[in-house]
Amino acid sequence: TQVQRALQALTVPLETLQVVKGRMLQAMRKGLSRQMHAQASVRMLPTYICSVPDGTEKGDLLVVELCQSHVRTLRVTFLGDGNQSPQVMDKIFNMPGDIMQGKGEALFDFIAQCVRQFLAGIGSPEHRLPLGFVFPFSCRHTRLDKAELISWSKGFSCSDVEGKDVVQLLQSAINKQELHHVDVVVLMNDTVGTMMSCSMGGNPCEVALVVGEQWVPHMPGWWVLRGLHRCSFPSLPADKGTNSCFMAEAQQVEMVEETRGRMCVNTEWGCFGDDGTLSDVLTPYDQHVDQESSNPGEKRFEKLVGSLYLGEIVRHALIALAAEKALFTGSSVAILGTKDVLKTQQVLEIIDNEEGMAKARNVLEALRLQPNEQDCCRVQQICRVVVSRAAALCAAGLAAILSHMCQSRELEQLVVNVGVDGELYRSHTRFKEILQSVTGLLAPECMVTLVPSVDGTGQGAAMVIAVALRLAAQRREVDQLLAPLRLSRADLERVQALMRQEMELGLGRETNANASIRMLPTYVRGTPNGTERGEFLALDLGGTNFRVLVVRVAQDSIRMASEIYVIPTTITQGTGNALFDHIVECIMDFQLKQDLMEQVLPLGFTFSFPCQQLGLDKAVLLSWTKGFSASGCVGQDVVELLQEAARRKEHLGMKVVAVINDTVGTMMSCGYDDPKCEIGLIVGTGTNACYMEEMQNVGTVEGDQGRMCINMEWGAFGDNGCLDDIFTDFDRLVDEKTINPGKQRFEKLISGMYLGEIVRHILLALVEKQLLFRGKPCPKLQTRDIFQTKFISTIEHDGLALRQVGAILQDLELQASFEDSMLVQEVCQTVSLRAAHLCAAGLAAVVEKMRENRSLDQLAVTVGVDGTLYKMHPHFSQHLQQMLRDLAPNCTVTFLQSEDGSGKGAALVAAVACREAEPQ
């Protein structure tokens, strides 16, 4: 009965394991939170390791590993062959016993001396040698090569180290040895090394688990250095604790600024339960073990599962059972009062199915306990339940990590490799089986493959360095490639000044012909005042779809009905007569459906192409854009072309009273709601702006009184070469393939029609440099316009997990890794940010000119804005507005999104024209 009670106390049912998993998840989230981190028992320390191997790593690397009784040094060479055959040289240096509790300076000097002796023994190369330091203690990283020791453990208590940068301490010691070509570039712990070593076989490993002592494997040609004598050595122990790490979503690691991609987090889960959350799992035996430890109340989870403590748990269970006369009746059990008299290795041998009973008898007799057959059997049962509990609790912790990963990646199922090291896993089949099966029960949404580590603290550490160097080299190449698209504040101020200069040229009567910005008068002299009334037709032509509307303006409302019509490419690129005949046919169809055929309604015509306006109802087409090339139209009055088509179709039910472009319509539409709206902005398929200019500054129109809306046609800014140094090779590639090379240069940097193509050309360059998709050919990416601008908006969306970015790329037949998805996202962000900032520079020139025109210290103005890029891109508007504030600090600019500017706005221009034509 006593034995059954002990076994029951040491058995954790599945329901309790579910609870433990939930508590671990809570503790992990607390550790990841900036606000709660200081109170968290699971520290969740960022490692600044942001990738796993991809097989291309190469280089000559050093590793130094600090172990409990020795220092291990390695030179590892990766050949870029998929990490199949790394070249390894290794030495072990026994550590003097007094160093572990001595001065910190002495410890690091000893480590540096080991490095010097190791290099002397292998013939120190002259080239730079990056060094990775395996330091198996809790550290607070702020960079990959900067980490402060939080606290010593495992018998170490060197002075003047806690709270200091361990990397700097080692680098200083190495410099004292005059090893100036050795740079400490990475500090990591053994758990991270396990994860990295298990990723070397070609299958990425994103989780690692260490349970018990890690062992350095014996390999031919490896040797230990003792004084002047070399001798071969068996496997050597490295650590007896437990820990885990995993690749977390960087945005959830609140202790770091990085929000993109993933970062390996060192959980330090050995401290789980230090806040009392495991009190219902702890047995009296665990409490005794804790009280006798060097750190009572700390590392509670580790004391349940770590190999340093399992023998002790069994020992206290045997003491309790012997006191209850359930074991060793008639024998003296005083020996069981001696700490560490029963080792974990003996416990693992006792639970063996075949040899276990014999081993139990041998161990107990060596302790002079005179066991009988029943004693041996009961001791074996206790050993088994202690080890099984450790496996089950490890599984609960692992299940918490896996479920967290699955949830944070928004996956229905997570498929993942878990690197595992430690004597409990390696030497006990039952431990493996329980770990695998219980993990499956607690995290059924995860498909897990447990991968045994090979030299995680050696080759795994070297791989951390190799990956860091690969990423650094790739980062330099990516930054170099994207640098021309990353405009500085000075670049944008120069664009602003050039825009202002071109605006002045465009307004001047003598200089207009040579200006790249046409600054076209619109003859729109005012905005709505609220007294407009009646029914008006509106025609909106600005792309391959166009709309016909009827707008009913009443005292307190505007009601609209509309229909969209398609213009086939054969018509947009055919004859002018065919184009305008098609438009009139659609107008007649609409009026018939709306029962308006018997009325002659005023019509506002939104014609979103560059025109020279000669009057409110007279506009000469200067050039086609947006893929249109209908013949016989350039140089003609588009209102007359429309009316001629109406006459050909014998349609008399409309009267064109105003022709505007979509930008003016946007301003008028927003002006109906906000009287301060005196600027219109379009950022969609194309881009343009308009604003209210003082008549005295408009040299191309007679008269000095009042203001007139100027259609800037700023898409052509730079056509005279003034923006050539802003244009990149990618922009030139896009420009060359358009129907108007050398034209609309500013528009080709900003608008939705071109951004996808810019991104596509950048991606092709990255593939060519082997920085993307592993350099594999991407035939579909060679297809023009395959990468649509809408993909940019989707890819940059904050709520979109990178796996969804991968899904978008997969639709384009691009097999993207996680890192590939991150890089594509960065390219999209770079291109869209440049577009937003250039747009801001243009607007800054406009608002500053308006402020100076009006001799104001501070201008308050509203911009009516429309266009899919502005409205649909998740960050464009924010980036534009922030940069505008920076470039025009004396202007308070409000942005008002237009509701149907090109439709409603055109009708309102017609309404204002009719109002002004009425007798006063």
Side-chain angles (χ1 to χ4, degrees):
T1 302
Q2 296 95 322
V3 174
Q4 287 174 347
R5 280 203 304 269
L7 294 172
Q8 189 172 1
L10 288 163
T11 301
V12 185
L14 189 61
E15 294 79 9
T16 304
L17 291 172
Q18 287 278 17
V19 173
V20 170
K21 174 196 168 183
R23 292 172 184 168
M24 178 70 87
L25 265 170
Q26 275 188 315
M28 287 167 56
R29 290 178 183 135
K30 192 182 286 188
L32 288 170
S33 161
R34 185 186 298 273
Q35 189 175 1
M36 304 293 292
H37 179 80
Q39 293 82 44
S41 60
V42 180
R43 302 300 296 274
M44 304 296 282
L45 301 172
T47 67
Y48 291 82
I49 292 166
C50 299
S51 183
V52 293
D54 69 359
T56 64
E57 290 76 17
K58 58 175 67 175
D60 202 11
L61 314 163
L62 287 180
V63 175
V64 174
E65 179 189 0
L66 178 60
C67 304
Q68 285 189 294
S69 60
H70 60 274
V71 169
R72 180 181 176 217
T73 57
L74 302 94
R75 179 181 176 182
V76 181
T77 303
F78 293 109
L79 305 175
D81 61 352
N83 305 319
Q84 298 302 310
S85 53
Q87 298 174 0
V88 182
M89 299 180 72
D90 169 275
K91 289 183 186 177
I92 301 293
F93 295 82
N94 281 346
M95 192 158 50
D98 58 347
I99 279 190
M100 294 171 64
Q101 288 84 34
K103 290 184 176 180
E105 186 179 8
L107 171 65
F108 289 99
D109 283 346
F110 175 75
I111 296 170
Q113 289 164 14
C114 296
V115 175
R116 181 174 55 78
Q117 291 182 44
F118 173 62
L119 291 175
I122 63 172
S124 178
E126 293 300 317
H127 60 78
R128 175 179 176 264
L129 281 173
L131 181 146
F133 186 21
V134 182
F135 189 70
F137 305 96
S138 295
C139 289
R140 184 178 293 106
H141 277 75
T142 52
R143 287 198 318 247
L144 200 55
D145 60 350
K146 187 176 177 62
E148 295 177 358
L149 175 64
I150 296 173
S151 61
W152 287 113
S153 59
K154 303 165 188 172
F156 281 76
S157 58
C158 299
S159 62
D160 297 323
V161 181
E162 290 183 353
K164 294 190 176 176
D165 181 4
V166 178
V167 172
Q168 188 55 51
L169 292 174
L170 179 57
Q171 187 68 64
S172 297
I174 286 173
N175 292 344
K176 278 196 280 184
Q177 298 295 321
E178 297 187 351
L179 299 172
H180 300 296
H181 62 305
V182 176
D183 296 326
V184 186
V185 297
V186 170
L187 183 135
M188 51 169 281
N189 71 5
D190 45 5
T191 317
V192 176
T194 294
M195 184 184 78
M196 297 301 268
S197 71
C198 291
S199 294
M200 287 168 55
N203 296 313
C205 176
E206 295 187 276
V207 187
L209 170 65
V210 173
V211 198
E213 284 184 316
Q214 291 171 282
W215 295 84
V216 176
H218 172 72
M219 294 180 67
W222 289 24
W223 40 274
V224 62
L225 186 68
R226 288 194 179 94
L228 300 176
H229 302 285
R230 299 176 181 179
C231 59
S232 63
F233 64 96
S235 298
L236 294 173
D239 186 18
K240 294 187 177 184
T242 182
N243 198 10
S244 60
C245 67
F246 69 99
M247 296 299 290
E249 304 303 299
Q251 63 185 5
Q252 296 189 344
V253 187
E254 296 181 8
M255 298 302 292
V256 299
E257 297 302 320
E258 180 61 59
T259 58
R260 297 180 63 249
R262 292 174 185 153
M263 180 178 289
C264 179
V265 170
N266 167 26
T267 67
E268 289 293 338
W269 76 1
C271 297
F272 175 48
D274 288 4
D275 56 359
T277 51
L278 289 177
S279 57
D280 54 345
V281 175
L282 299 174
T283 67
Y285 323 126
D286 302 309
Q287 302 286 17
H288 286 304
V289 171
D290 179 56
Q291 290 161 13
E292 291 180 0
S293 70
S294 61
N295 54 349
E298 299 176 9
K299 299 269 186 177
R300 301 309 295 264
F301 190 64
E302 184 167 291
K303 288 170 185 171
L304 293 172
V305 303
S307 63
L308 186 63
Y309 304 99
L310 298 191
E312 283 294 278
I313 298 170
V314 171
R315 180 175 69 84
H316 278 286
L318 299 186
I319 290 172
L321 290 171
E324 293 177 333
K325 308 298 184 189
L327 284 177
F328 314 127
T329 306
S331 300
S332 170
V333 294
I335 188 68
L336 291 177
T338 305
K339 188 178 177 184
D340 293 328
V341 73
L342 189 61
K343 306 294 185 186
T344 295
Q345 187 56 36
Q346 293 172 318
V347 171
L348 295 175
E349 291 169 353
I350 288 171
I351 62 180
D352 183 84
N353 286 330
E354 296 180 7
E355 308 290 336
M357 287 291 287
K359 185 61 182 179
R361 182 174 293 280
N362 291 341
V363 169
L364 297 173
E365 287 178 350
L367 297 176
R368 299 190 180 91
L369 291 174
Q370 300 176 4
N372 58 33
E373 191 74 15
Q374 190 177 51
D375 290 336
C376 292
C377 180
R378 287 175 173 176
V379 168
Q380 189 182 51
Q381 286 179 298
I382 295 294
C383 290
R384 280 179 175 166
V385 76
V386 167
V387 173
S388 296
R389 182 184 68 161
L393 288 170
C394 272
L398 178 58
I401 289 174
L402 298 172
S403 291
H404 173 83
M405 291 172 69
C406 192
Q407 291 164 15
S408 61
R409 298 181 187 185
E410 300 176 6
L411 298 173
E412 292 183 7
Q413 183 179 60
L414 174 71
V415 180
V416 69
N417 291 330
V418 177
V420 192
D421 204 355
E423 63 177 314
L424 289 178
Y425 179 80
R426 288 186 175 280
S427 60
H428 183 34
T429 304
R430 181 67 180 147
F431 188 96
K432 293 182 192 177
E433 292 171 350
I434 293 172
L435 180 64
Q436 182 90 54
S437 62
V438 175
T439 300
L441 290 171
L442 296 177
E445 74 279 21
C446 304
M447 283 185 61
V448 181
T449 302
L450 300 180
V451 182
S453 171
V454 178
D455 191 19
T457 55
Q459 292 185 47
M463 183 50 69
V464 173
I465 311 171
V467 169
L469 294 176
R470 169 176 62 81
L471 292 177
Q474 289 177 345
R475 173 45 47 196
R476 284 192 296 272
E477 286 200 71
V478 169
D479 285 344
Q480 186 178 2
L481 189 116
L482 294 180
L485 293 112
R486 291 172 170 157
L487 302 180
S488 67
R489 172 75 175 269
D491 292 329
L492 294 169
E493 288 172 348
R494 191 161 52 81
V495 171
Q496 178 182 351
L498 285 169
M499 175 72 82
R500 175 66 179 269
Q501 181 180 312
E502 291 294 307
M503 288 171 68
E504 301 287 3
L505 292 173
L507 287 170
R509 183 186 300 274
E510 305 299 327
T511 55
N512 175 268
N514 297 320
S516 65
I517 305 177
R518 302 301 299 274
M519 303 296 284
L520 304 171
T522 65
Y523 294 85
V524 173
R525 303 291 301 271
T527 54
N529 65 8
T531 65
E532 295 80 14
R533 300 287 183 274
E535 284 189 325
F536 305 91
L537 284 175
L539 176 61
D540 173 17
L541 177 62
T544 51
N545 293 336
F546 81 101
R547 291 180 308 146
V548 185
L549 307 90
V550 60
V551 179
R552 297 175 174 93
V553 183
Q555 182 173 348
D556 298 317
S557 66
I558 293 181
R559 291 181 296 115
M560 296 187 294
S562 66
E563 186 156 343
I564 295 173
Y565 295 89
V566 176
I567 309 179
T569 305
T570 53
I571 292 180
T572 63
Q573 297 178 6
T575 66
N577 282 354
L579 173 62
F580 283 93
D581 284 352
H582 178 73
I583 291 169
V584 170
E585 286 168 4
C586 294
I587 293 171
M588 293 169 66
D589 176 75
F590 177 79
Q591 288 188 269
L592 185 64
K593 289 176 179 176
Q594 294 291 325
D595 196 21
L596 298 172
M597 290 296 282
E598 302 304 318
Q599 301 181 52
V600 179
L601 296 179
L603 183 145
F605 185 9
T606 298
F607 187 74
S608 302
F609 300 91
C611 288
Q612 180 181 6
Q613 200 111 9
L614 302 177
L616 189 59
D617 61 351
K618 188 174 179 63
V620 175
L621 176 64
L622 297 176
S623 63
W624 284 118
T625 58
K626 307 174 189 176
F628 278 66
S629 60
S631 62
C633 298
V634 174
Q636 301 298 311
D637 177 6
V638 295
V639 173
E640 184 57 32
L641 291 175
L642 182 64
Q643 289 176 334
E644 284 178 1
R647 286 193 288 271
R648 284 195 296 273
K649 296 293 179 182
E650 298 181 354
H651 180 56
L652 305 176
M654 65 179 195
K655 178 186 177 185
V656 181
V657 298
V659 58
I660 63 169
N661 72 1
D662 51 355
T663 320
V664 177
T666 294
M667 183 187 77
M668 295 294 279
S669 172
C670 293
Y672 186 80
D673 300 312
D674 182 350
K676 286 186 180 179
C677 183
E678 295 185 89
I679 302 174
L681 173 67
I682 300 289
V683 194
T685 306
T687 184
N688 194 15
C690 69
Y691 72 103
M692 296 301 291
E693 178 60 87
E694 308 304 310
M695 276 294 295
Q696 63 189 14
N697 296 332
V698 185
T700 53
V701 174
E702 297 297 327
D704 292 334
Q705 299 302 310
R707 295 173 183 153
M708 180 179 287
C709 180
I710 297 296
N711 166 26
M712 294 177 66
E713 289 296 339
W714 79 1
F717 176 40
D719 286 6
N720 59 359
C722 66
L723 292 181
D724 281 0
D725 57 340
I726 297 291
F727 253 59
T728 68
D729 291 340
F730 309 115
D731 300 311
R732 292 184 186 94
L733 287 168
V734 172
D735 180 49
E736 288 167 4
K737 297 297 182 183
T738 60
I739 62 171
N740 56 348
K743 303 294 184 184
Q744 298 293 109
R745 303 294 293 274
F746 193 57
E747 181 168 87
K748 288 171 184 173
L749 299 174
I750 291 177
S751 73
M753 190 168 191
Y754 305 100
L755 297 192
E757 272 296 275
I758 297 171
V759 168
R760 184 179 70 86
H761 281 290
I762 296 171
L763 299 185
L764 285 171
L766 289 168
V767 172
E768 186 179 348
K769 288 179 175 290
Q770 310 245 316
L771 298 170
L772 187 65
F773 309 135
R774 300 203 178 184
K776 294 178 181 175
C778 304
K780 200 159 185 179
L781 202 55
Q782 300 284 348
T783 308
R784 189 178 164 206
D785 294 326
I786 194 72
F787 198 96
Q788 299 172 38
T789 297
K790 69 178 182 181
F791 294 156
I792 298 177
S793 296
T794 305
I795 285 170
E796 288 191 58
H797 199 281
D798 287 334
L800 192 72
L802 279 170
R803 69 175 182 84
Q804 293 168 287
V805 176
I808 292 170
L809 297 174
Q810 194 165 12
D811 288 342
L812 298 175
E813 298 176 13
L814 302 171
Q815 298 303 314
S817 67
F818 183 81
E819 284 77 14
D820 289 334
S821 297
M822 279 182 61
L823 184 50
V824 170
Q825 190 177 60
E826 181 180 359
V827 170
C828 292
Q829 289 168 344
T830 302
V831 170
S832 67
L833 181 66
R834 182 184 68 156
H837 282 175
L838 285 170
C839 201
L843 264 184
V846 172
V847 295
E848 276 296 311
K849 185 174 193 322
M850 292 176 71
R851 184 182 69 81
E852 292 174 20
N853 285 347
R854 301 174 190 189
S855 302
L856 298 172
D857 293 331
Q858 190 78 24
L859 173 72
V861 68
T862 297
V863 177
V865 60
D866 203 351
T868 51
L869 185 59
Y870 184 92
K871 287 183 172 180
M872 304 305 293
H873 189 282
H875 306 298
F876 190 95
S877 60
Q878 176 187 343
H879 292 320
L880 187 160
Q881 291 173 33
Q882 179 58 58
M883 185 52 68
L884 180 59
R885 284 192 289 270
D886 293 344
L887 295 174
N890 296 320
C891 301
T892 303
V893 183
T894 303
F895 285 79
L896 181 61
Q897 286 195 27
S898 168
E899 294 180 14
D900 194 17
S902 49
K904 183 171 105 176
L908 284 168
V909 172
V912 170
C914 292
R915 184 198 74 203
E916 291 179 344
E918 291 173 359
Q920 298 299 316

